[in-house]
């Protein structure tokens, strides 16, 4: 089944700083990273990790992998779900305990934008999501590519304006350099702070 | 700003059968909108191609499958090789000739593994690698008619007048069918007299060649059956031959002659181990070429022409031009047939490995796209126009993608939903399959065999006897008819007095009433007619034996009545004859025979 990876760190990474910023102590926040394959979920998480734990090369995730960061007195658990077609049915089993969902989109993959929308619909219609408020962060990844769609165009294509129940936010990112990631994570922590 | 990519397909209407809507309005499990995602469409792609000129393959080894299309073009001489990466055109190369087929295959195992594209066009196979021309294979040219070559030689040496040269070629074309004329001679025959000289001077110095044309192309794995193993090209030619080409040296590894011109190919197996090539030919039969064999054996007689062949497990599915989808065993025995509402335009096999599902997709002339698993209709999709080309497979990074090219050149890409239900068949899809069951035939008896042998041996005398008897019957009938007409026994007269007669019997008996209606069908009034009844006086008695008709006005129906008494109480009946005569002529004008019913009088008493 899944390759379980745990990396514990005392060095302040970005998530550590966020935890301090939040002021939430001794609490756990579970964040679910979903999105189609090759959208850059693992690369994003790799960027969020402390430098010493960063991997040089990111390989396609099989099943899912868990990254845990203990920052001060709070722990962040990030579920990095595999986006491959055959692994997508796995996502719904993790909706229940997720405090927030990060939906990573490949803004260059025009062909599969509709597939991503379909998966988002499945997510929104699921009983564990449709019955409670879960903040959803959309990351329009690969913004550095020249044929990438802008975040506004992505939100139009994904029909994000139809989401009424949950609070959502979209920002363009570059998972390799980390551009735009901070903005998104800040929004997310702000959202979680209210709920924890 | 980026162009809008995902346009909702307003024109495509998804249909569920009416029965289904009635039965389960809340849960339309097989509704097409629950089935396909409309990922992309380009209504002005302007592509004209067929399924055999389309392929989905990862050309660069970057994990993304590209769509490769050999486009015939909407205008003449605009043939192009197009490669789509996602929604954008990666390459658009000019093709020299009309493409007849396209396939992708690996020519070497060098890393990174990049497949080559083979485009069949005319007598050539153009091989592209890394989107650059790599190799051109030419089919060996055929023998030339020696007389034709001699004529050309003579004409070149100016021993022959151009016009007489042309006449001689024409003569040759009409007589000698053993070796057909070269395309150059045929073109010359088509030339107008004033164009003749220009054409002749242009081509007279180049050597005469007769070339065949590739009709179909496919690949077969060479040494081992792996996804990225080296493959051989299999070519079918207009010259009724199948070639298997070596991928490295591009030499013919095997050549097999066929009884007819191949149209479609389906290959299985590995060349160096064991392979089978199913070849659908223009005579409507599907032939089987086996590894090591030099002869093509007849495998399936479709009774029509195949539009598509696909193998599923051990069975072969054939979509035919008689609007049917049939399943045959590998030995050619028909298992089932489904009659379709419209003719098939294109056929494509589907395989979803993650779900272990295999089936076929049929594009129909009515614009319907039907998905069959075995003989079960799983899904229907209605397009505004029919599909001319269809490919199912991995495109981009998404498995189970359906690429459609429709009649007006529209490119649309649909992706099978992850949640699509392929298990349930559409409610209301009546299985009109014709399953030929085993007939319980009795054993052939000795008598039957002897009779069959006798019939086979004496077929000519048997036919002659039968024919003679038939002619005799015809003669006899004609004679009788002539006799009836001659003796005025028919109820319609054939003389100048055109009179119609009909008679009816009324009553239960013993008293009957005879109603005789007489009508003058001519334009002139007839005078001096007499109706006479002829009967057996021992059975019947009549008050009036004859009724005189002094004057018969044209086209008015006269009815005369006479009473008949049945004298016999034994239930015997006999016909009464009604005869119309004119003046004192003894030959009757016409006669009617009245069949008398059994007198019920005695039964009642």
């Amino acid at each position: 089944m899944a390759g379980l990876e745990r990396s514990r760190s005392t060095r302040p990474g970005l998530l550590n700083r966020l935890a301090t910023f939040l002021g939430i102590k001794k609490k756990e926040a579970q964040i679910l990273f979903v999105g189609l394959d090759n959208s850059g979920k693992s690369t994003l998480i790799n960027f969020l990790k402390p430098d010493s734990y960063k991997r040089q090369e990111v390989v396609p995730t099989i099943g899912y992998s868990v990254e845990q960061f203990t920052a001060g007195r709070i722990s962040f658990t990030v579920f990095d779900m595999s986006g491959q077609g055959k692994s997508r049915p796995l996502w719904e089993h993790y909706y229940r305990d997720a405090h927030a969902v990060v939906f990573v989109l490949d803004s260059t993959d025009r062909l599969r934008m509709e597939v991503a929308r379909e998966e988002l619909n499945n997510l929104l219609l699921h009983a564990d999501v449709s019955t409670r408020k879960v903040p959803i962060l959309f990351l329009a990844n690969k913004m550095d590519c020249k044929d990438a769609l802008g975040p506004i165009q992505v939100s139009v294509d994904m029909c994000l304006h139809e989401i009424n129940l949950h609070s959502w936010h979209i920002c363009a990112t570059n998972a390799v350099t980390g551009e735009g990631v901070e903005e998104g994570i800040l929004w997310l922590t702000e959202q979680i702070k209210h709920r924890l | 700003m980026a162009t809008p990519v995902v346009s909702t397909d307003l024109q495509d209407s998804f249909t569920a059968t009416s029965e289904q809507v009635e039965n389960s309005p809340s849960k339309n499990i097989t509704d097409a909108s629950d089935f396909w995602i409309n990922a992309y469409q380009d209504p002005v792609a302007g592509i004209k191609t067929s399924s055999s000129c389309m392929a989905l393959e990862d050309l660069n080894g970057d994990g993304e499958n590209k769509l490769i299309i050999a486009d015939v073009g909407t205008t003449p001489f605009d043939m192009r090789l197009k490669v789509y990466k996602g929604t954008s055109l990666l390459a658009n190369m000019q093709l020299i000739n009309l493409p007849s087929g396209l396939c992708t295959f690996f020519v070497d195992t060098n890393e990174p593994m990049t497949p080559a594209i083979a485009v069949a066009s005319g007598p050539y196979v153009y091989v592209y690698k890394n989107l650059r021309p790599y190799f051109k294979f030419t089919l060996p040219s055929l023998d030339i008619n020696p007389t034709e070559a001699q004529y050309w030689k003579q004409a070149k040496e100016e021993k022959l007048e151009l016009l007489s040269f042309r006449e001689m070629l024409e003569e040759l074309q009409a007589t000698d069918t053993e070796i057909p004329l070269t395309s150059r001679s045929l073109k010359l025959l088509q030339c107008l007299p004033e164009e003749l000289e220009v054409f002749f001077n242009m081509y007279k110095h180049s050597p005469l060649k007769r070339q065949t044309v590739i009709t179909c192309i496919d690949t077969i794995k060479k040494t081992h059956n792996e996804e990225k193993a080296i493959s051989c090209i299999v070519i079918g030619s207009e010259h009724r031959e199948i070639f298997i080409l070596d991928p490295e040296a591009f030499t013919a590894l095997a050549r097999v002659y066929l009884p007819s011109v191949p149209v479609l190919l389906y290959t299985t197996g590995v060349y160096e181990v064991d392979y089978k090539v199913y070849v659908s030919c223009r005579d409507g039969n599907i032939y089987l070429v086996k590894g090591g064999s030099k002869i093509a054996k007849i495998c399936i007689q479709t009774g029509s022409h195949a539009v598509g062949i696909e193998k599923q497990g051990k069975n072969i599915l054939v979509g035919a031009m008689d609007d049917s989808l049939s399943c045959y065993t590998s030995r050619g025995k028909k298992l089932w047939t489904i009659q379709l509402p419209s003719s098939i335009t294109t056929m494509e096999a589907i395989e979803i490995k993650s779900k272990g599902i295999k089936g076929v997709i049929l594009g129909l002339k009515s614009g319907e796209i039907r998905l069959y698993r075995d003989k079960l209709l799983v899904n229907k999709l209605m397009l505004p126009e029919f599909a001319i080309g269809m490919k199912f497979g991995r495109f981009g990074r998404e498995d189970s993608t359906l690429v459609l090219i429709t009649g007006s050149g529209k490119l649309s890409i649909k992706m099978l939903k992850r949640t699509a239900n392929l298990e349930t068949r559409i409610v209301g899809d009546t299985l009109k399959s014709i399953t030929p069951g085993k007939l319980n035939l009795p054993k052939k008896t000795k008598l039957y065999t002897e009779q069959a042998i006798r019939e086979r041996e004496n077929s000519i005398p048997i036919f002659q006897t039968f024919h003679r008897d038939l002619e005799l019957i015809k003669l006899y009938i004609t004679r009788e008819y002539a006799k009836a007409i001659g003796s005025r026994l028919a109820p319609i007269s054939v003389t100048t007095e055109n009179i119609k007669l009909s008679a009816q019997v009324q009553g239960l008996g013993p008293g009957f009433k005879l109603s005789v209606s007489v009508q003058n069908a001519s334009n002139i009034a007839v005078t001096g007619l007499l109706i006479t009844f002829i009967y057996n006086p021992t059975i019947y008695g009549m008050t009036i034996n004859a009724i005189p008709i002094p004057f018969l006005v044209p086209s008015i129906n006269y009815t005369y009545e006479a009473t008949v008494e049945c004298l016999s109480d034994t239930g015997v009946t006999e016909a009464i004859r009604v005869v119309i005569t004119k003046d004192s002529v003894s030959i009757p004008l016409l006669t009617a025979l009245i069949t008398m019913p059994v007198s019920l009088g005695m039964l009642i008493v």
Side-chain angles (χ1 to χ4, degrees), chain A residues 26-148:
Chain A
K26 287 260 179 194
K27 280 177 180 175
E28 285 191 2
Q30 283 198 6
I31 304 171
L32 195 62
F33 269 66
V34 292
L36 302 186
D37 49 308
N38 200 39
S39 57
K41 298 174 293 298
S42 302
T43 316
L44 269 164
I45 291 166
N46 197 39
F47 170 76
L48 292 171
K49 281 198 264 185
D51 289 341
S52 58
Y53 289 89
K54 271 182 187 160
R55 273 180 282 174
Q56 285 299 308
E57 215 163 278
V58 179
V59 291
T61 313
I62 295 161
Y64 71 101
S65 72
V66 183
E67 306 282 348
Q68 208 167 44
F69 307 95
T70 313
R73 290 197 291 174
I74 86 129
S75 94
F76 265 106
T77 313
V78 177
F79 286 88
D80 178 13
M81 306 303 295
S82 167
Q84 284 165 17
K86 55 179 184 254
S87 306
R88 286 179 217 157
L90 215 69
W91 296 0
E92 59 187 31
H93 302 291
Y94 296 86
Y95 294 160
R96 185 196 296 265
D97 301 322
H99 293 108
V101 174
V102 179
F103 202 110
V104 187
L105 294 153
D106 179 355
S107 52
T108 59
D109 196 351
R110 287 147 203 258
L111 192 65
R112 292 202 302 162
M113 206 50 89
E114 199 69 3
V115 181
R117 191 163 78 98
E118 176 68 24
E119 292 300 344
L120 176 66
N121 271 341
N122 289 345
L123 185 147
L124 293 173
L125 292 171
H126 193 269
D128 290 340
V129 178
S130 61
T131 50
R132 65 194 181 102
K133 288 188 177 179
V134 185
I136 306 170
L137 172 66
F138 294 94
L139 298 178
N141 201 16
K142 306 193 186 179
M143 62 182 265
D144 52 310
C145 292
K146 65 173 195 289
D147 55 344

